[in-house]
């Protein structure tokens, strides 16, 4: 029979996490998240009924969830699961074991409203300033990364989809503020590639899997030493990762010039841009594509 977890068991486990070096606990000591409340409330525009009314969770709590999500490259669904699962996440958010946790849809809606208000970059710029003032200066270079964040299924008609692609609000939505608040007008479709897995018979598929994906991309620059978020940008899922490098994603105040990123960021335009701006590219090169050996050569080499 499983032993029931008690208060002192939780406290003991949290003390162990502190001893092991809980980064989120360091955030709690360093950043007074209450300073973000006025800007969050202004961006969310609670008094404007067309924005969907007051959210069910405290906005500072929700902003801290975005911090967790960005630091760990988590989808909304994975964020919801891990907040329920990890004591370190609960402590950072000030939630107890019996408290209700925001679900994935609530996280998405909160981020959507901040994005529409153009507030995300301002909030994270202020977050970065707070870290600098506490002595966490960006150093040792930076790491660029992009994470796909799924948007809830929309179930729009073909006519509504056509309006959205053209940048219009469907006529049927315009006089329904509650419906408009829960409809995503900015997410887009892309393909998410997943490495092919070996089949039951031992064979490998000839190509990786391409899975349709609807949502956004979260682009971040992370300080390589402290692993703190220094720059943040949100786009629709179809936006090219590499182009964001030239759109203010690089942190020029980092004391080291090296930039690490995966192959999605490697292009001549980016290499030229980094050289011009004084950065040293550590962007991964793609592995050379090896064409299959012609069958007649395979046969001739078989006996060697």
């Amino acid at each position: 029979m499983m032993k029931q977890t008690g208060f002192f068991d939780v406290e003991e486990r949290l003390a162990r996490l502190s001893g092991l070096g809980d980064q989120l606990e360091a955030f709690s000591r360093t950043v007074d998240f209450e300073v973000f409340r006025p800007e969050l409330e202004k961006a969310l525009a609670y008094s404007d009924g067309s924005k969907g009314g007051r959210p069910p969770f405290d906005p500072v709590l929700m902003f801290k969830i975005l911090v967790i999500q960005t630091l760990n490259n988590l989808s909304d669904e994975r964020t919801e699961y891990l907040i329920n699962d990890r004591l370190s996440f609960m402590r950072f958010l000030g939630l107890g074991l019996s408290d209700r946790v925001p679900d994935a849809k609530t996280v998405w809606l909160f981020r959507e409203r901040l994005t529409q208000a153009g507030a995300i970059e301002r909030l994270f710029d202020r977050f970065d300033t707070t870290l600098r003032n506490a002595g966490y200066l960006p150093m040792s270079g930076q790491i660029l990364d992009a994470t796909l964040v799924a948007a809830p299924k929309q179930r729009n008609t073909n006519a509504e989809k056509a309006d959205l692609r053209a940048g219009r609000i469907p006529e049927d939505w315009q006089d329904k503020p509650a419906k408009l608040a829960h409809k995503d007008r900015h997410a887009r479709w892309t393909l998410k590639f997943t490495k092919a897995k070996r089949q039951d018979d031992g064979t490998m598929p000839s190509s990786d899997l391409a899975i349709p994906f609807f949502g956004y991309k979260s682009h971040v620059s992370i300080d390589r030493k402290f692993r703190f978020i220094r720059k943040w940008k949100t786009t629709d899922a179809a936006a090219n990762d590499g182009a964001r490098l030239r759109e203010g994603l690089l942190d020029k105040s980092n004391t080291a010039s090296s930039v690490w990123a995966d192959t999605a960021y490697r292009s001549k335009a980016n290499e030229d841009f980094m050289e011009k701006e004084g950065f040293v590219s550590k962007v991964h090169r793609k592995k050379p594509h090896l064409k299959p050996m012609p069958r007649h050569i395979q046969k001739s080499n078989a006996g060697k």
Side-chain angles (χ1 to χ4, degrees):
M1 183 176 181
M2 185 177 293
K3 177 185 174 184
Q4 186 173 356
T5 303
F7 173 78
F8 292 107
D9 296 314
V10 173
E11 288 296 306
E12 182 180 354
R13 179 61 60 84
L14 287 172
R16 289 182 191 174
L17 290 172
S18 298
L20 292 169
D22 179 4
Q23 187 188 43
L24 292 176
E25 190 178 28
F27 269 137
S28 295
R29 289 194 302 264
T30 304
V31 180
D32 177 11
F33 281 91
E34 279 298 317
V35 302
F36 298 97
R37 185 178 296 279
E39 189 165 352
L40 285 166
E41 292 183 343
K42 181 180 178 181
L44 294 169
Y46 292 150
S47 60
D48 184 354
S50 67
K51 296 292 183 181
R54 190 179 183 90
F57 290 94
D58 179 71
V60 175
L61 165 71
M62 296 302 299
F63 179 63
K64 291 169 81 173
I65 288 177
L66 293 189
V67 170
I68 286 178
Q69 190 174 49
T70 306
L71 276 175
N72 297 276
N73 288 335
L74 302 174
S75 67
D76 293 338
E77 289 75 14
R78 189 65 179 164
T79 300
E80 177 187 353
Y81 173 81
L82 288 177
I83 291 173
N84 280 285
D85 182 64
R86 290 191 181 178
L87 289 175
S88 59
F89 284 13
M90 293 183 204
R91 173 166 63 182
F92 177 64
L93 298 173
L95 295 174
L97 292 174
S98 60
D99 291 330
R100 191 162 64 98
V101 171
D103 61 19
K105 178 68 178 288
T106 302
V107 175
W108 166 81
L109 184 60
F110 178 78
R111 185 180 52 255
E112 170 74 0
R113 291 174 64 178
L114 289 185
T115 300
Q116 289 182 6
I120 291 249
E121 290 186 43
R122 290 199 310 271
L123 286 162
F124 274 87
D125 282 345
R126 187 170 184 179
F127 183 71
D128 181 53
T129 300
T130 303
L131 293 174
R132 292 171 191 269
N133 291 340
Y136 291 99
L137 300 176
M139 55 184 70
S140 301
Q142 57 195 298
I143 301 168
L144 304 187
D145 197 13
T147 304
L148 287 169
V149 180
K153 293 180 180 178
Q154 299 295 292
R155 298 183 176 85
N156 298 326
T157 65
N158 289 335
E160 290 170 340
K161 291 177 183 177
D163 283 337
L164 293 174
R165 283 194 294 268
R168 299 187 298 266
I169 299 176
E171 185 176 351
D172 185 49
W173 298 3
Q174 296 180 17
D175 58 350
K176 297 178 180 179
K179 182 174 183 178
L180 184 61
H182 289 81
K183 284 291 188 179
D184 196 314
R185 290 174 284 149
H186 305 286
R188 292 293 182 268
W189 284 99
T190 190
L191 290 176
K192 180 179 180 180
F193 291 93
T194 302
K195 287 291 183 182
K197 296 181 180 179
R198 191 174 297 278
Q199 301 298 301
D200 293 337
D201 60 3
T203 61
M204 284 292 292
S206 58
S207 61
D208 294 335
L209 300 177
I211 303 171
F213 184 95
F214 181 74
Y216 294 90
K217 272 184 186 173
S218 169
H219 308 264
V220 294
S221 172
I222 303 170
D223 175 19
R224 186 165 173 254
K225 179 177 176 62
F226 296 112
R227 303 289 168 153
F228 288 163
I229 308 156
R230 298 296 180 174
K231 294 286 184 177
W232 164 298
K233 193 174 188 68
T234 303
T235 65
D236 63 71
N240 177 268
D241 294 359
R244 310 287 82 76
L245 181 146
R246 307 188 299 277
E247 296 177 356
L249 192 59
L250 289 175
D251 181 11
K252 295 184 178 180
S253 67
N254 199 294
T255 59
S257 57
S258 296
V259 176
W260 282 263
D262 65 24
T263 54
Y265 293 88
R266 189 162 195 88
S267 68
K268 187 177 186 307
N270 282 349
E271 295 298 307
D272 291 345
F273 177 84
M274 284 188 280
E275 183 178 0
K276 180 181 177 182
E277 297 293 324
F279 293 103
V280 177
S281 174
K282 301 288 186 180
V283 178
H284 295 178
R285 295 181 182 273
K286 289 185 177 180
K287 294 180 181 178
H289 180 69
L290 299 178
K291 294 182 179 180
M293 187 182 296
R295 190 172 296 276
H296 70 279
I297 297 179
Q298 291 180 21
K299 290 180 179 179
S300 66
N301 287 341
K304 293 182 179 179

